[in-house]
Amino acid sequence: MSSYKEFAYIYDALMTDIPYDNYVHKVVSSIENVRGKSLLDIGCGTGVLSAKFAEQGFLVQAVDLSEEMLAMASDRFQKEGYNIPLFHLSMTELEGFHDVDVAILAIDSMNYLEDENQVLQTLTGVYQSLTSGGQLFFDVHSLYKMDELFLDGPFTYEDEQIAYIWHTEEGEHPHSVYHDLTFFMKNKNGSYDRFEESHFQRSFEIDMYVDCLRQAGFSQVKVSADWTNESPKNKSERVFFHATK
């Protein structure tokens, strides 16, 4: 459940701590001869990773549920000179893609799925979109981050153009959180416009994701954490999955 309406327009400014180049390296280092291979970016957001993968030589297609995010991605691709097709689709209803070499669900996109059935449905749709030997990469917030770090809020941010207050509240499901954001964007006359959005995220046990990958048909599942090749620890914050069809 994610609206990503006005929030889409400040998303990039608030995601400067994400090491996107590390994500690209993590994928590219696992693929032989990336140039000309097809890549499907599911939950592409404003298209930062899509553009970076296109720069590496992938033939990229991108999907997102938010029309606002897709509009931002389209503007990015036009400015940077990339011809990347965009599709307005939910990750749980993925269809129309065939023989994809690489699929990514990056930067906790999977955490917006509310139950195990949606996780399995999404992974099954990705599996059906991949070619034989195709590879999937995705990441989720760890249970430690969901259960402890997120609940240390509220969090605040301020610069010359943007300010926000980010409240977090434990959800009714295990390892789930409601994010309530109030943010202020400076407009042309120097005053600030106020917007509010609410987002729900949930994580599951690592074994559940692995089980869903196996049920969907994937093999050779690898699990790591925090932008490294090391196994998750008790206080790891981000868990990565790499699976092969």
Side-chain angles (χ1 to χ4, degrees), residues 14 46 63 72 74 78 96 98 114 129 133 169 190:
L14 304 182
T46 62
V63 171
M72 296 292 290
S74 179
Q78 185 175 9
H98 306 283
E114 298 185 27
S129 301
E169 180 180 346

Side-chain angles (χ1 to χ4, degrees), residues 62-174:
V63 171
D64 205 281
L65 182 60
S66 166
E67 293 181 344
E68 289 78 12
M69 286 291 200
L70 291 172
M72 296 292 290
S74 179
D75 288 345
R76 179 188 304 280
F77 301 156
Q78 185 175 9
K79 290 176 182 176
E80 298 184 12
Y82 295 117
N83 182 22
I84 298 175
L86 289 164
F87 300 90
H88 181 220
L89 289 171
S90 167
M91 70 181 79
T92 60
E93 298 175 349
L94 200 65
E95 59 181 17
F97 302 98
H98 306 283
D99 297 325
V100 173
D101 293 306
V102 180
I104 63 169
L105 280 143
I107 318 301
D108 51 82
S109 294
M110 290 281 284
N111 286 123
Y112 285 94
L113 300 177
E114 298 185 27
D115 57 48
E116 296 180 19
N117 288 334
Q118 289 184 345
V119 173
L120 179 58
Q121 186 176 353
T122 296
L123 295 177
T124 299
V126 174
Y127 182 87
Q128 293 171 349
S129 301
L130 289 171
T131 190
S132 177
Q135 299 182 57
L136 166 64
F137 299 82
F138 72 90
D139 63 277
V140 295
H141 294 310
S142 69
L143 300 190
Y144 166 68
K145 188 171 185 179
M146 296 296 292
D147 297 343
E148 297 189 38
L149 296 187
F150 274 143
L151 298 181
D152 282 342
F155 309 100
T156 60
Y157 175 89
E158 182 180 3
D159 64 23
E160 293 182 356
Q161 299 296 323
I162 302 165
Y164 72 69
I165 304 171
W166 172 9
H167 291 276
T168 57
E169 180 180 346
E170 186 175 0
E172 65 271 22
H173 300 295

